[in-house]
Amino acid sequence: MNILISNWKASFTFFLLLLLVLSLGVWQIDRGYNKKELENTFLERQSQPVKEIKYNTFQKSDLYRNVVLEGRYLDNTFLLDNRINNGKPGLKVFSPFETTNSSLVLVSRGWIELKDRSNLPMIKSSKNILKIQGVLRPESKDFVLGNEKMNKKNNPILVQTVNLSELSNFLGKPLSPYILELSELSESAFVKTWQPINLSSFRHFGYAVQWFGLAIVLIVGYVFFLRKGETKGHE
């Protein structure tokens, strides 16, 4: 006890670090279980047959499922900047799609390489009624706090971030809360870069083991420190 009091700064630092390391380990376990649940949901939904949605009545059970929509692309095209793929700079292409019952869905059409920033690529979109297939997904965490002043005279429109609420205001009509990740087999699709799960659940569990291992190292080191202090005290 005297050793703890005399070395209270070291003891305080140890317990603070131990609490931090254990908290990070528990956090990684929690994220691992969440990812595992998402992995199971994705695999289960992907195993279901393709669903054709005629009235844009999306349900939560449709997330991560292959669906078919019928309608046409609007003239507007949004290019999300600073998207790197295989070390090359590029853009992600987003187009609003109007279904046959006049509902709007934002379609993520994939990645294109950007060679000249002063000359944005023109994106061709069929004006005919067509059917498109893809995976429904929720709005990405990257798609937040967009603050660009979008000019309706520009097309395509280069943006740094995309926000469904702001796009709805820009288009003058509400967008679906879900995004359709277009199938790479579609004629209007570009290079697919979207991954439903960026980091597997096993990676999170592995990180948790590392944090708990570090906690053990801290405990062993602290015990060694205390015993060394006791030995000096008896000399």
Short mmCIF file of all heavy atoms in Angstrom, two decimals, residues 169-229:
data_model
loop_
_atom_site.label_atom_id
_atom_site.label_comp_id
_atom_site.label_asym_id
_atom_site.label_seq_id
_atom_site.Cartn_x
_atom_site.Cartn_y
_atom_site.Cartn_z
N ASN A 169 -33.98 18.52 -51.87
CA ASN A 169 -34.30 19.95 -52.00
C ASN A 169 -33.89 20.49 -53.36
O ASN A 169 -34.59 21.30 -53.96
CB ASN A 169 -33.62 20.74 -50.88
CG ASN A 169 -34.17 20.40 -49.51
OD1 ASN A 169 -35.33 20.00 -49.38
ND2 ASN A 169 -33.35 20.55 -48.49
N PHE A 170 -32.73 20.04 -53.83
CA PHE A 170 -32.24 20.50 -55.12
C PHE A 170 -33.15 20.03 -56.26
O PHE A 170 -33.45 20.79 -57.19
CB PHE A 170 -30.82 19.97 -55.33
CG PHE A 170 -30.23 20.30 -56.67
CD1 PHE A 170 -29.69 21.56 -56.92
CD2 PHE A 170 -30.23 19.37 -57.70
CE1 PHE A 170 -29.16 21.87 -58.16
CE2 PHE A 170 -29.71 19.67 -58.95
CZ PHE A 170 -29.17 20.92 -59.17
N LEU A 171 -33.59 18.79 -56.18
CA LEU A 171 -34.43 18.22 -57.23
C LEU A 171 -35.88 18.66 -57.11
O LEU A 171 -36.66 18.51 -58.05
CB LEU A 171 -34.35 16.69 -57.20
CG LEU A 171 -32.97 16.10 -57.52
CD1 LEU A 171 -32.96 14.60 -57.23
CD2 LEU A 171 -32.59 16.36 -58.97
N GLY A 172 -36.25 19.17 -55.93
CA GLY A 172 -37.63 19.61 -55.72
C GLY A 172 -38.59 18.47 -55.50
O GLY A 172 -39.81 18.63 -55.65
N LYS A 173 -38.05 17.31 -55.12
CA LYS A 173 -38.89 16.14 -54.90
C LYS A 173 -38.16 15.19 -53.96
O LYS A 173 -36.94 15.02 -54.09
CB LYS A 173 -39.19 15.45 -56.24
CG LYS A 173 -40.29 14.41 -56.15
CD LYS A 173 -40.66 13.93 -57.55
CE LYS A 173 -41.83 12.97 -57.48
NZ LYS A 173 -42.24 12.51 -58.83
N PRO A 174 -38.87 14.56 -53.03
CA PRO A 174 -38.18 13.69 -52.06
C PRO A 174 -37.58 12.45 -52.70
O PRO A 174 -38.20 11.81 -53.57
CB PRO A 174 -39.29 13.33 -51.06
CG PRO A 174 -40.56 13.49 -51.82
CD PRO A 174 -40.33 14.64 -52.76
N LEU A 175 -36.37 12.13 -52.28
CA LEU A 175 -35.71 10.91 -52.71
C LEU A 175 -36.00 9.79 -51.72
O LEU A 175 -36.26 10.02 -50.55
CB LEU A 175 -34.20 11.11 -52.79
CG LEU A 175 -33.63 11.79 -54.04
CD1 LEU A 175 -32.23 12.30 -53.77
CD2 LEU A 175 -33.61 10.83 -55.22
N SER A 176 -35.94 8.58 -52.21
CA SER A 176 -36.06 7.42 -51.33
C SER A 176 -34.93 7.45 -50.30
O SER A 176 -33.81 7.90 -50.60
CB SER A 176 -35.97 6.13 -52.15
OG SER A 176 -35.69 5.02 -51.33
N PRO A 177 -35.17 7.00 -49.07
CA PRO A 177 -34.10 6.98 -48.06
C PRO A 177 -33.04 5.93 -48.35
O PRO A 177 -32.01 5.89 -47.67
CB PRO A 177 -34.86 6.64 -46.77
CG PRO A 177 -36.07 5.89 -47.22
CD PRO A 177 -36.45 6.52 -48.54
N TYR A 178 -33.27 5.08 -49.35
CA TYR A 178 -32.31 4.04 -49.71
C TYR A 178 -31.67 4.35 -51.06
O TYR A 178 -32.26 5.02 -51.91
CB TYR A 178 -32.98 2.67 -49.78
CG TYR A 178 -33.64 2.26 -48.49
CD1 TYR A 178 -34.87 1.60 -48.50
CD2 TYR A 178 -33.06 2.54 -47.26
CE1 TYR A 178 -35.48 1.22 -47.31
CE2 TYR A 178 -33.66 2.17 -46.07
CZ TYR A 178 -34.88 1.51 -46.10
OH TYR A 178 -35.48 1.15 -44.93
N ILE A 179 -30.46 3.85 -51.25
CA ILE A 179 -29.72 4.04 -52.49
C ILE A 179 -29.64 2.72 -53.22
O ILE A 179 -29.45 1.66 -52.60
CB ILE A 179 -28.30 4.57 -52.20
CG1 ILE A 179 -28.37 5.98 -51.59
CG2 ILE A 179 -27.45 4.61 -53.47
CD1 ILE A 179 -27.05 6.50 -51.11
N LEU A 180 -29.79 2.76 -54.54
CA LEU A 180 -29.66 1.55 -55.34
C LEU A 180 -28.24 1.47 -55.88
O LEU A 180 -27.80 2.32 -56.65
CB LEU A 180 -30.65 1.56 -56.51
CG LEU A 180 -30.63 0.28 -57.35
CD1 LEU A 180 -31.29 -0.86 -56.61
CD2 LEU A 180 -31.30 0.50 -58.70
N GLU A 181 -27.50 0.46 -55.44
CA GLU A 181 -26.15 0.21 -55.94
C GLU A 181 -26.29 -0.62 -57.21
O GLU A 181 -26.59 -1.81 -57.16
CB GLU A 181 -25.32 -0.51 -54.89
CG GLU A 181 -23.84 -0.45 -55.11
CD GLU A 181 -23.26 0.94 -54.91
OE1 GLU A 181 -23.69 1.65 -53.99
OE2 GLU A 181 -22.34 1.30 -55.68
N LEU A 182 -26.09 0.04 -58.34
CA LEU A 182 -26.39 -0.56 -59.64
C LEU A 182 -25.51 -1.79 -59.91
O LEU A 182 -24.31 -1.79 -59.62
CB LEU A 182 -26.19 0.47 -60.75
CG LEU A 182 -26.74 0.13 -62.12
CD1 LEU A 182 -28.26 -0.02 -62.10
CD2 LEU A 182 -26.34 1.21 -63.12
N SER A 183 -26.13 -2.82 -60.47
CA SER A 183 -25.40 -4.02 -60.83
C SER A 183 -24.36 -3.70 -61.89
O SER A 183 -24.62 -2.95 -62.84
CB SER A 183 -26.37 -5.09 -61.36
OG SER A 183 -25.65 -6.17 -61.95
N GLU A 184 -23.17 -4.26 -61.76
CA GLU A 184 -22.10 -3.97 -62.72
C GLU A 184 -22.39 -4.55 -64.10
O GLU A 184 -21.71 -4.22 -65.07
CB GLU A 184 -20.77 -4.52 -62.19
CG GLU A 184 -20.79 -6.01 -61.89
CD GLU A 184 -19.51 -6.47 -61.21
OE1 GLU A 184 -18.49 -5.79 -61.36
OE2 GLU A 184 -19.56 -7.50 -60.53
N LEU A 185 -23.40 -5.41 -64.20
CA LEU A 185 -23.78 -5.98 -65.49
C LEU A 185 -24.70 -5.05 -66.28
O LEU A 185 -24.98 -5.29 -67.45
CB LEU A 185 -24.47 -7.34 -65.29
CG LEU A 185 -23.64 -8.42 -64.60
CD1 LEU A 185 -24.46 -9.69 -64.43
CD2 LEU A 185 -22.36 -8.70 -65.39
N SER A 186 -25.16 -3.99 -65.64
CA SER A 186 -26.05 -3.04 -66.31
C SER A 186 -25.29 -2.21 -67.34
O SER A 186 -24.11 -1.88 -67.16
CB SER A 186 -26.70 -2.11 -65.27
OG SER A 186 -27.41 -1.07 -65.90
N GLU A 187 -25.96 -1.86 -68.42
CA GLU A 187 -25.34 -1.04 -69.47
C GLU A 187 -24.98 0.35 -68.98
O GLU A 187 -24.07 0.99 -69.50
CB GLU A 187 -26.27 -0.94 -70.68
CG GLU A 187 -26.50 -2.26 -71.41
CD GLU A 187 -27.37 -2.09 -72.63
OE1 GLU A 187 -27.80 -0.95 -72.90
OE2 GLU A 187 -27.62 -3.09 -73.33
N SER A 188 -25.70 0.85 -67.98
CA SER A 188 -25.45 2.20 -67.48
C SER A 188 -24.51 2.21 -66.27
O SER A 188 -24.34 3.25 -65.64
CB SER A 188 -26.77 2.88 -67.11
OG SER A 188 -27.49 2.12 -66.15
N ALA A 189 -23.90 1.07 -65.97
CA ALA A 189 -23.01 0.98 -64.81
C ALA A 189 -21.56 1.23 -65.21
O ALA A 189 -21.16 1.01 -66.36
CB ALA A 189 -23.14 -0.38 -64.15
N PHE A 190 -20.79 1.68 -64.23
CA PHE A 190 -19.36 1.87 -64.42
C PHE A 190 -18.61 0.88 -63.51
O PHE A 190 -19.16 -0.15 -63.15
CB PHE A 190 -18.99 3.32 -64.14
CG PHE A 190 -19.70 4.30 -65.03
CD1 PHE A 190 -20.80 5.01 -64.58
CD2 PHE A 190 -19.28 4.49 -66.34
CE1 PHE A 190 -21.47 5.90 -65.41
CE2 PHE A 190 -19.94 5.37 -67.19
CZ PHE A 190 -21.04 6.08 -66.72
N VAL A 191 -17.41 1.19 -63.14
CA VAL A 191 -16.60 0.26 -62.33
C VAL A 191 -17.18 0.15 -60.92
O VAL A 191 -17.38 1.16 -60.24
CB VAL A 191 -15.13 0.72 -62.27
CG1 VAL A 191 -14.31 -0.24 -61.42
CG2 VAL A 191 -14.55 0.82 -63.68
N LYS A 192 -17.41 -1.07 -60.49
CA LYS A 192 -17.97 -1.29 -59.17
C LYS A 192 -16.88 -1.20 -58.11
O LYS A 192 -15.85 -1.88 -58.20
CB LYS A 192 -18.64 -2.67 -59.09
CG LYS A 192 -19.26 -2.97 -57.73
CD LYS A 192 -19.88 -4.35 -57.71
CE LYS A 192 -20.45 -4.67 -56.34
NZ LYS A 192 -21.05 -6.03 -56.29
N THR A 193 -17.07 -0.37 -57.10
CA THR A 193 -16.12 -0.26 -55.99
C THR A 193 -16.79 -0.44 -54.64
O THR A 193 -16.11 -0.60 -53.63
CB THR A 193 -15.42 1.12 -56.00
OG1 THR A 193 -16.42 2.16 -55.89
CG2 THR A 193 -14.61 1.31 -57.28
N TRP A 194 -18.11 -0.42 -54.62
CA TRP A 194 -18.83 -0.52 -53.35
C TRP A 194 -18.69 -1.90 -52.74
O TRP A 194 -18.81 -2.92 -53.41
CB TRP A 194 -20.31 -0.20 -53.56
CG TRP A 194 -21.14 -0.38 -52.30
CD1 TRP A 194 -21.16 0.43 -51.21
CD2 TRP A 194 -22.07 -1.44 -52.04
NE1 TRP A 194 -22.04 -0.06 -50.27
CE2 TRP A 194 -22.61 -1.20 -50.75
CE3 TRP A 194 -22.48 -2.57 -52.75
CZ2 TRP A 194 -23.54 -2.05 -50.17
CZ3 TRP A 194 -23.42 -3.42 -52.17
CH2 TRP A 194 -23.94 -3.14 -50.90
N GLN A 195 -18.41 -1.92 -51.44
CA GLN A 195 -18.37 -3.15 -50.68
C GLN A 195 -19.34 -3.02 -49.51
O GLN A 195 -19.29 -2.03 -48.77
CB GLN A 195 -16.96 -3.42 -50.15
CG GLN A 195 -15.91 -3.66 -51.23
CD GLN A 195 -16.15 -4.94 -52.00
OE1 GLN A 195 -16.73 -5.88 -51.48
NE2 GLN A 195 -15.70 -4.98 -53.25
N PRO A 196 -20.23 -4.00 -49.32
CA PRO A 196 -21.19 -3.90 -48.22
C PRO A 196 -20.53 -3.89 -46.85
O PRO A 196 -21.03 -3.27 -45.91
CB PRO A 196 -22.07 -5.14 -48.41
CG PRO A 196 -21.22 -6.09 -49.19
CD PRO A 196 -20.38 -5.24 -50.08
N ILE A 197 -19.38 -4.56 -46.74
CA ILE A 197 -18.68 -4.65 -45.46
C ILE A 197 -17.21 -4.38 -45.72
O ILE A 197 -16.52 -5.18 -46.36
CB ILE A 197 -18.87 -6.04 -44.82
CG1 ILE A 197 -20.36 -6.32 -44.62
CG2 ILE A 197 -18.14 -6.12 -43.49
CD1 ILE A 197 -20.67 -7.75 -44.25
N ASN A 198 -16.70 -3.26 -45.22
CA ASN A 198 -15.31 -2.88 -45.47
C ASN A 198 -14.33 -3.67 -44.60
O ASN A 198 -13.21 -3.91 -45.00
CB ASN A 198 -15.12 -1.39 -45.22
CG ASN A 198 -15.89 -0.54 -46.21
OD1 ASN A 198 -16.02 -0.91 -47.37
ND2 ASN A 198 -16.42 0.58 -45.76
N LEU A 199 -14.76 -4.03 -43.40
CA LEU A 199 -13.89 -4.74 -42.48
C LEU A 199 -14.67 -5.89 -41.88
O LEU A 199 -15.74 -5.69 -41.30
CB LEU A 199 -13.39 -3.80 -41.37
CG LEU A 199 -12.24 -4.30 -40.49
CD1 LEU A 199 -11.00 -4.54 -41.33
CD2 LEU A 199 -11.95 -3.30 -39.38
N SER A 200 -14.16 -7.12 -42.00
CA SER A 200 -14.90 -8.29 -41.54
C SER A 200 -14.98 -8.34 -40.02
O SER A 200 -14.18 -7.72 -39.31
CB SER A 200 -14.24 -9.57 -42.06
OG SER A 200 -13.00 -9.78 -41.40
N SER A 201 -15.95 -9.11 -39.53
CA SER A 201 -16.12 -9.25 -38.08
C SER A 201 -14.89 -9.89 -37.45
O SER A 201 -14.51 -9.55 -36.32
CB SER A 201 -17.36 -10.09 -37.78
OG SER A 201 -17.27 -11.37 -38.39
N PHE A 202 -14.23 -10.80 -38.16
CA PHE A 202 -13.06 -11.47 -37.62
C PHE A 202 -11.90 -10.49 -37.38
O PHE A 202 -11.13 -10.66 -36.44
CB PHE A 202 -12.60 -12.60 -38.56
CG PHE A 202 -13.58 -13.74 -38.65
CD1 PHE A 202 -14.38 -13.89 -39.77
CD2 PHE A 202 -13.73 -14.63 -37.60
CE1 PHE A 202 -15.28 -14.93 -39.85
CE2 PHE A 202 -14.64 -15.68 -37.67
CZ PHE A 202 -15.42 -15.83 -38.79
N ARG A 203 -11.81 -9.48 -38.22
CA ARG A 203 -10.76 -8.47 -38.02
C ARG A 203 -11.00 -7.72 -36.72
O ARG A 203 -10.06 -7.44 -35.96
CB ARG A 203 -10.74 -7.50 -39.20
CG ARG A 203 -10.26 -8.11 -40.50
CD ARG A 203 -8.75 -8.29 -40.52
NE ARG A 203 -8.06 -7.04 -40.45
CZ ARG A 203 -7.78 -6.27 -41.51
NH1 ARG A 203 -8.18 -6.65 -42.72
NH2 ARG A 203 -7.11 -5.16 -41.37
N HIS A 204 -12.27 -7.39 -36.44
CA HIS A 204 -12.58 -6.69 -35.20
C HIS A 204 -12.28 -7.56 -33.98
O HIS A 204 -11.74 -7.09 -32.98
CB HIS A 204 -14.05 -6.27 -35.19
CG HIS A 204 -14.36 -5.14 -36.12
ND1 HIS A 204 -13.91 -3.85 -35.91
CD2 HIS A 204 -15.08 -5.10 -37.28
CE1 HIS A 204 -14.33 -3.07 -36.87
NE2 HIS A 204 -15.04 -3.80 -37.73
N PHE A 205 -12.64 -8.85 -34.07
CA PHE A 205 -12.34 -9.75 -32.97
C PHE A 205 -10.83 -9.90 -32.78
O PHE A 205 -10.33 -10.01 -31.66
CB PHE A 205 -12.97 -11.13 -33.22
CG PHE A 205 -14.48 -11.12 -33.15
CD1 PHE A 205 -15.24 -11.77 -34.11
CD2 PHE A 205 -15.14 -10.44 -32.13
CE1 PHE A 205 -16.62 -11.76 -34.06
CE2 PHE A 205 -16.54 -10.42 -32.08
CZ PHE A 205 -17.27 -11.09 -33.04
N GLY A 206 -10.10 -9.89 -33.90
CA GLY A 206 -8.64 -9.95 -33.82
C GLY A 206 -8.07 -8.72 -33.14
O GLY A 206 -7.14 -8.82 -32.32
N TYR A 207 -8.61 -7.54 -33.46
CA TYR A 207 -8.15 -6.32 -32.80
C TYR A 207 -8.46 -6.37 -31.30
O TYR A 207 -7.68 -5.88 -30.47
CB TYR A 207 -8.83 -5.10 -33.43
CG TYR A 207 -8.37 -4.80 -34.83
CD1 TYR A 207 -9.24 -4.24 -35.77
CD2 TYR A 207 -7.06 -5.07 -35.23
CE1 TYR A 207 -8.82 -3.96 -37.07
CE2 TYR A 207 -6.64 -4.79 -36.52
CZ TYR A 207 -7.53 -4.24 -37.43
OH TYR A 207 -7.10 -3.97 -38.71
N ALA A 208 -9.61 -6.95 -30.95
CA ALA A 208 -9.98 -7.06 -29.53
C ALA A 208 -8.96 -7.92 -28.79
O ALA A 208 -8.55 -7.58 -27.66
CB ALA A 208 -11.38 -7.65 -29.39
N VAL A 209 -8.55 -9.02 -29.40
CA VAL A 209 -7.54 -9.89 -28.77
C VAL A 209 -6.24 -9.13 -28.56
O VAL A 209 -5.58 -9.26 -27.52
CB VAL A 209 -7.31 -11.14 -29.66
CG1 VAL A 209 -6.10 -11.94 -29.14
CG2 VAL A 209 -8.55 -12.03 -29.66
N GLN A 210 -5.87 -8.31 -29.53
CA GLN A 210 -4.64 -7.51 -29.39
C GLN A 210 -4.73 -6.53 -28.22
O GLN A 210 -3.78 -6.37 -27.45
CB GLN A 210 -4.37 -6.76 -30.69
CG GLN A 210 -4.01 -7.66 -31.86
CD GLN A 210 -3.76 -6.89 -33.14
OE1 GLN A 210 -3.72 -5.66 -33.15
NE2 GLN A 210 -3.63 -7.60 -34.25
N TRP A 211 -5.90 -5.87 -28.10
CA TRP A 211 -6.06 -4.92 -26.99
C TRP A 211 -6.04 -5.63 -25.64
O TRP A 211 -5.41 -5.15 -24.69
CB TRP A 211 -7.37 -4.15 -27.14
CG TRP A 211 -7.33 -3.09 -28.20
CD1 TRP A 211 -8.09 -3.01 -29.33
CD2 TRP A 211 -6.49 -1.92 -28.23
NE1 TRP A 211 -7.77 -1.91 -30.06
CE2 TRP A 211 -6.79 -1.20 -29.41
CE3 TRP A 211 -5.50 -1.43 -27.38
CZ2 TRP A 211 -6.15 -0.03 -29.75
CZ3 TRP A 211 -4.85 -0.25 -27.72
CH2 TRP A 211 -5.17 0.44 -28.89
N PHE A 212 -6.69 -6.79 -25.54
CA PHE A 212 -6.67 -7.53 -24.29
C PHE A 212 -5.27 -8.07 -24.00
O PHE A 212 -4.86 -8.17 -22.84
CB PHE A 212 -7.70 -8.67 -24.33
CG PHE A 212 -9.12 -8.20 -24.31
CD1 PHE A 212 -10.06 -8.77 -25.15
CD2 PHE A 212 -9.52 -7.17 -23.46
CE1 PHE A 212 -11.38 -8.32 -25.14
CE2 PHE A 212 -10.83 -6.72 -23.45
CZ PHE A 212 -11.76 -7.30 -24.28
N GLY A 213 -4.55 -8.44 -25.05
CA GLY A 213 -3.16 -8.86 -24.87
C GLY A 213 -2.30 -7.74 -24.32
O GLY A 213 -1.45 -7.94 -23.45
N LEU A 214 -2.53 -6.54 -24.82
CA LEU A 214 -1.81 -5.37 -24.32
C LEU A 214 -2.16 -5.10 -22.86
O LEU A 214 -1.30 -4.69 -22.07
CB LEU A 214 -2.14 -4.15 -25.17
CG LEU A 214 -1.43 -2.84 -24.80
CD1 LEU A 214 0.08 -3.00 -24.82
CD2 LEU A 214 -1.85 -1.72 -25.76
N ALA A 215 -3.42 -5.36 -22.49
CA ALA A 215 -3.83 -5.18 -21.09
C ALA A 215 -3.06 -6.13 -20.18
O ALA A 215 -2.64 -5.76 -19.08
CB ALA A 215 -5.33 -5.41 -20.96
N ILE A 216 -2.87 -7.37 -20.65
CA ILE A 216 -2.11 -8.34 -19.86
C ILE A 216 -0.67 -7.88 -19.71
O ILE A 216 -0.07 -7.99 -18.62
CB ILE A 216 -2.17 -9.73 -20.53
CG1 ILE A 216 -3.61 -10.27 -20.47
CG2 ILE A 216 -1.22 -10.70 -19.84
CD1 ILE A 216 -3.79 -11.57 -21.21
N VAL A 217 -0.10 -7.36 -20.78
CA VAL A 217 1.28 -6.85 -20.73
C VAL A 217 1.38 -5.72 -19.71
O VAL A 217 2.35 -5.64 -18.93
CB VAL A 217 1.73 -6.39 -22.12
CG1 VAL A 217 3.08 -5.66 -22.04
CG2 VAL A 217 1.82 -7.57 -23.08
N LEU A 218 0.39 -4.82 -19.70
CA LEU A 218 0.40 -3.72 -18.74
C LEU A 218 0.33 -4.22 -17.30
O LEU A 218 1.05 -3.73 -16.41
CB LEU A 218 -0.79 -2.80 -19.02
CG LEU A 218 -0.67 -1.86 -20.22
CD1 LEU A 218 -2.01 -1.15 -20.46
CD2 LEU A 218 0.43 -0.83 -19.99
N ILE A 219 -0.52 -5.23 -17.07
CA ILE A 219 -0.66 -5.77 -15.72
C ILE A 219 0.64 -6.43 -15.26
O ILE A 219 1.11 -6.20 -14.13
CB ILE A 219 -1.82 -6.78 -15.66
CG1 ILE A 219 -3.16 -6.06 -15.90
CG2 ILE A 219 -1.85 -7.51 -14.32
CD1 ILE A 219 -4.34 -6.99 -16.04
N VAL A 220 1.22 -7.24 -16.15
CA VAL A 220 2.49 -7.89 -15.81
C VAL A 220 3.58 -6.87 -15.54
O VAL A 220 4.35 -6.96 -14.58
CB VAL A 220 2.92 -8.86 -16.94
CG1 VAL A 220 4.33 -9.39 -16.69
CG2 VAL A 220 1.93 -10.01 -17.05
N GLY A 221 3.64 -5.84 -16.39
CA GLY A 221 4.65 -4.80 -16.18
C GLY A 221 4.46 -4.04 -14.89
O GLY A 221 5.42 -3.69 -14.20
N TYR A 222 3.20 -3.79 -14.53
CA TYR A 222 2.91 -3.06 -13.30
C TYR A 222 3.25 -3.90 -12.07
O TYR A 222 3.79 -3.39 -11.08
CB TYR A 222 1.44 -2.67 -13.27
CG TYR A 222 1.06 -1.81 -12.09
CD1 TYR A 222 1.61 -0.53 -11.95
CD2 TYR A 222 0.18 -2.27 -11.13
CE1 TYR A 222 1.27 0.27 -10.88
CE2 TYR A 222 -0.16 -1.48 -10.04
CZ TYR A 222 0.39 -0.22 -9.92
OH TYR A 222 0.06 0.57 -8.85
N VAL A 223 2.94 -5.19 -12.14
CA VAL A 223 3.30 -6.08 -11.02
C VAL A 223 4.81 -6.14 -10.85
O VAL A 223 5.33 -6.09 -9.73
CB VAL A 223 2.73 -7.50 -11.26
CG1 VAL A 223 3.27 -8.49 -10.23
CG2 VAL A 223 1.21 -7.48 -11.20
N PHE A 224 5.52 -6.22 -11.97
CA PHE A 224 6.98 -6.22 -11.91
C PHE A 224 7.49 -4.92 -11.31
O PHE A 224 8.44 -4.91 -10.52
CB PHE A 224 7.54 -6.41 -13.33
CG PHE A 224 9.03 -6.36 -13.40
CD1 PHE A 224 9.80 -7.46 -13.02
CD2 PHE A 224 9.68 -5.21 -13.84
CE1 PHE A 224 11.19 -7.40 -13.08
CE2 PHE A 224 11.06 -5.15 -13.90
CZ PHE A 224 11.83 -6.26 -13.52
N PHE A 225 6.86 -3.81 -11.66
CA PHE A 225 7.24 -2.51 -11.12
C PHE A 225 7.04 -2.46 -9.60
O PHE A 225 7.88 -1.95 -8.86
CB PHE A 225 6.41 -1.43 -11.81
CG PHE A 225 6.51 -0.07 -11.18
CD1 PHE A 225 7.62 0.73 -11.38
CD2 PHE A 225 5.48 0.41 -10.38
CE1 PHE A 225 7.71 1.98 -10.79
CE2 PHE A 225 5.56 1.65 -9.79
CZ PHE A 225 6.68 2.45 -9.99
N LEU A 226 5.93 -3.01 -9.12
CA LEU A 226 5.65 -3.01 -7.67
C LEU A 226 6.65 -3.88 -6.92
O LEU A 226 7.14 -3.50 -5.84
CB LEU A 226 4.22 -3.50 -7.42
CG LEU A 226 3.09 -2.59 -7.90
CD1 LEU A 226 1.75 -3.22 -7.59
CD2 LEU A 226 3.19 -1.20 -7.27
N ARG A 227 6.92 -5.06 -7.47
CA ARG A 227 7.87 -5.94 -6.80
C ARG A 227 9.27 -5.36 -6.77
O ARG A 227 10.01 -5.51 -5.78
CB ARG A 227 7.89 -7.30 -7.51
CG ARG A 227 6.61 -8.11 -7.28
CD ARG A 227 6.70 -9.47 -7.90
NE ARG A 227 5.52 -10.27 -7.58
CZ ARG A 227 5.34 -11.51 -8.00
NH1 ARG A 227 6.27 -12.10 -8.77
NH2 ARG A 227 4.24 -12.17 -7.68
N LYS A 228 9.63 -4.67 -7.83
CA LYS A 228 10.94 -4.03 -7.87
C LYS A 228 11.02 -2.94 -6.80
O LYS A 228 12.03 -2.75 -6.15
CB LYS A 228 11.19 -3.44 -9.25
CG LYS A 228 12.59 -2.88 -9.44
CD LYS A 228 12.81 -2.40 -10.85
CE LYS A 228 14.21 -1.85 -11.02
NZ LYS A 228 14.45 -1.37 -12.42
N GLY A 229 9.87 -2.22 -6.62
CA GLY A 229 9.82 -1.18 -5.59
C GLY A 229 9.92 -1.78 -4.20
O GLY A 229 10.54 -1.21 -3.29
#
